[in-house]
Amino acid sequence: MRAVIQRVSSASVEVDGKIVGSCGKGYLILLGVAEGDIEADADLLCKKIAALRIFRDENEKMNLSIRDVDGEALVISQFTLYANYRHGNRPDFLASAKPDEANRLYEYFKTILSREVRRVECGIFGADMKVSLINDGPVTICMDSEVLKKKK
């Protein structure tokens, strides 16, 4: 499972001209689910994301977590995080989980993250979405559950 975490002042997602999810200060999280991912991958990412200290403290050091700043999150499904671009110019997405399983784990991820973060909103799985954000910093972190597993 992969996540691109962007520290934002605000973010929103629009489907068919209507805002379906938004957040204030916190994270915009683009989430990709790979073939073979399981709930434990979501658990690892959520735990790390909630504890990630990338908000500024009173000394302007990145020392505070999203929980410390009472932040919010907007989670967007993003199967293209598993693009294979090695051959040719048209990427394939064969490493991405099939839609039913990806949606199930996406929903699971949001549920787990909601236990850690005050407010979690989301886009619509599989929809054509327009995402807007004000990246704060900018700060962008790419995270992969496979890398977190190797840490142990």
Side-chain angles (χ1 to χ4, degrees):
M1 193 170 285
R2 289 183 180 153
V4 175
I5 302 117
Q6 296 181 296
R7 187 180 76 186
V8 298
S9 299
S10 64
S12 64
V13 60
E14 188 177 301
V15 176
D16 296 328
K18 296 179 184 160
I19 293 178
V20 297
S22 65
C23 73
K25 180 179 182 174
Y27 295 149
L28 169 66
I29 302 170
L30 304 176
L31 183 72
V33 179
E35 192 68 41
D37 280 345
I38 59 176
E39 289 86 354
D41 293 289
D43 294 338
L44 267 174
L45 282 181
C46 284
K47 181 178 178 183
K48 191 67 162 183
I49 289 169
L52 195 62
R53 297 183 333 178
I54 61 172
F55 290 92
R56 291 183 189 100
D57 65 13
E58 66 280 355
N59 298 315
E60 295 299 311
K61 291 192 177 194
M62 289 197 295
N63 205 23
L64 301 174
S65 72
I66 192 168
R67 292 181 290 211
D68 296 330
V69 299
D70 198 27
E72 305 174 349
L74 176 61
V75 182
I76 306 293
S77 62
Q78 188 78 41
F79 75 94
T80 60
L81 292 178
Y82 281 98
N84 177 352
Y85 47 83
R86 283 176 248 157
H87 302 288
N89 294 318
R90 182 171 182 243
D92 73 57
F93 305 100
L94 300 174
S96 296
K98 303 290 182 268
D100 286 347
E101 183 63 3
N103 189 30
R104 184 183 76 74
L105 287 171
Y106 170 67
E107 293 295 330
Y108 178 81
F109 177 90
K110 292 185 313 187
T111 298
I112 297 304
L113 190 64
S114 294
R115 296 177 188 162
E116 302 287 340
V117 177
R118 175 176 63 87
R119 181 172 164 252
V120 176
E121 292 204 1
C122 59
I124 297 175
F125 185 89
D128 180 28
M129 296 178 272
K130 308 297 183 219
V131 180
S132 299
L133 69 140
I134 299 175
N135 193 318
D136 179 19
V139 175
T140 302
I141 307 288
C142 299
M143 202 176 284
D144 192 308
S145 60
E146 291 303 312
V147 173
L148 291 174
K149 289 179 201 176
K150 290 177 186 176
K151 182 182 115 180
K152 292 180 178 180

